[in-house]
Amino acid sequence: MVKIRLSRFGSAHNPHYRIVVADARRPRDGGYIENLGYYDPRKKSETFLKVDVERAQHWLEQGAQPTATARRLLKSQGVRVR
C-alpha cells in the first residue's frame, strides 16, 4: 500500500518533516516515491508548511492513504481528503 506520511529530518531537538509518498513497508526515514512538501512543527518561519496541492490530489486519486497527521496537514492546505 502507498501512504502519504511524514519523514523526519533535522537535528536533535529540532524536528523538521518532509511530507512524502512512500510504500508502507519502508522505514519512516527510508526511501520514498515522491516529496510533496515540508512541515516545521516549531513554526519558526512564516512558511512552516508547504504542500504541492496538485501532486497530493493526484496521489490521493491513485489510492494513497494519508496518515492522521498528514491528513490534517493536507486539509489545512485545501486538499480534499476523503
Side-chain angles (χ1 to χ4, degrees):
M1 174 192 296
V2 176
K3 290 192 159 267
I4 298 176
R5 64 184 180 191
L6 301 181
S7 176
R8 184 172 186 204
F9 70 106
S11 59
H13 307 293
N14 186 22
H16 287 76
Y17 296 93
R18 289 185 181 109
I19 302 170
V20 299
V21 178
D23 189 309
R25 296 171 290 189
R26 295 291 232 156
R28 178 192 72 182
D29 298 333
Y32 54 85
I33 300 168
E34 184 174 352
N35 183 0
L36 298 178
Y38 58 84
Y39 171 57
D40 177 9
R42 295 170 40 152
K43 300 179 174 89
K44 289 287 188 179
S45 68
E46 291 180 18
T47 58
F48 66 90
L49 174 61
K50 181 182 177 195
V51 176
D52 185 345
V53 176
E54 291 178 17
R55 292 303 295 166
Q57 195 64 48
H58 166 78
W59 280 105
L60 290 169
E61 290 169 1
Q62 298 301 315
Q65 298 295 314
T67 61
T69 304
R71 179 183 306 267
R72 179 179 56 85
L73 294 173
L74 291 173
K75 279 186 178 181
S76 74
Q77 293 296 298
V79 178
R80 291 193 344 245
V81 182
R82 299 179 223 120

